[in-house]
Amino acid sequence: MSGDEGLPVSPAEEASPVPPAQEARREAIAFVVAAASWLVPGLGHALLKMWGRAVICFLTVGVLVWVGAGMRGNLFNSRGNDAFDSLGYLADLGTGGFYWVAKGLETNGPDVSRADGDYGTRFLATAGVFNLLAALHAYEVARGRKV
Amino acid sequence: MTAWSLIGLLSAMIAMKLSHFQALVVFALVISIAFGFLGRRRPIDRVKYILWTLLLFLLIGVGIGWAMYPFSH
């Protein structure tokens, strides 16, 4: 494999370029997939017909939110006092629709005076960050950069 | 029964008390399985990745716990 001057040419350079219209359409679909994946964990992968990953994403976020709320972890809101509260809110928002499920589950409110509540806070934040990671994965798959 | 009262009932059912180690195991297990499915495609690769990640989570978690032990007194 070589170019006109005998220089090696990578497969990407050899491949015919994707038409801009098709590229824009693919980008739009990828955004929709990522948004769906954020709103309902696993939905993005389900739209891409990756059933195993869809079920695992849904169950992972669901279990983490369920256990986190059961341990009475702190679910941050938009009225944070400092940067850590704001970051916690962003992480919790990452769970998408499960944010409101967690709010509904925590009928007695958070209790971080015990280690359990502190662990619960981490479980809830991890659920959100994991869901954002899963949404990014679904976006990359939809763009054709990952399998 | 409304949806929110059902959620409240579920919430009462899950009011759980986990020890530190149980919480670590639940966290490590759930995240290992999720990473295995997200990061690998072939089933055998997924199993290997899940087991390896789980082992590292537990070893490093317990290791950090022991490293902090002298400062707890």
Side-chain angles (χ1 to χ4, degrees), chain B residues 32 35-37 39-53:
Chain B
S32 300
F35 277 3
F37 269 78
R40 298 287 184 270
R41 275 189 77 83
R42 290 172 53 216
I44 187 69
D45 290 339
R46 283 180 174 171
V47 171
K48 280 186 198 168
Y49 193 82
I50 289 169
L51 291 177
W52 181 237
T53 314

Side-chain angles (χ1 to χ4, degrees), chain A residues 37-129:
Chain A
S37 194
W38 167 71
L39 203 59
V40 180
L43 182 58
H45 286 96
L47 290 173
L48 297 168
K49 294 187 169 52
M50 300 174 121
W51 308 113
R53 282 172 171 163
V55 170
I56 287 294
C57 286
F58 186 83
L59 287 180
T60 299
V61 177
V63 167
L64 288 173
V65 164
W66 195 33
V67 175
M71 294 170 99
R72 297 182 66 185
N74 191 11
L75 196 65
F76 293 97
N77 56 40
S78 56
R79 299 179 302 279
N81 294 320
D82 54 31
F84 288 108
D85 284 0
S86 303
L87 284 174
Y89 178 56
L90 280 181
D92 288 346
L93 264 191
T95 54
F98 274 85
Y99 181 83
W100 287 277
V101 174
K103 259 195 184 316
L105 282 172
E106 281 203 338
T107 46
N108 295 325
D111 177 13
V112 289
S113 62
R114 302 162 299 116
D116 276 13
D118 228 7
Y119 289 154
T121 305
R122 308 297 168 246
F123 271 73
L124 291 168
T126 305
V129 174

Side-chain angles (χ1 to χ4, degrees), chain A residues 21-43:
Chain A
Q22 196 180 332
E23 184 69 16
R25 189 169 171 272
R26 183 184 258 194
E27 187 76 33
I29 290 172
F31 268 115
V32 170
V33 165
S37 194
W38 167 71
L39 203 59
V40 180
L43 182 58

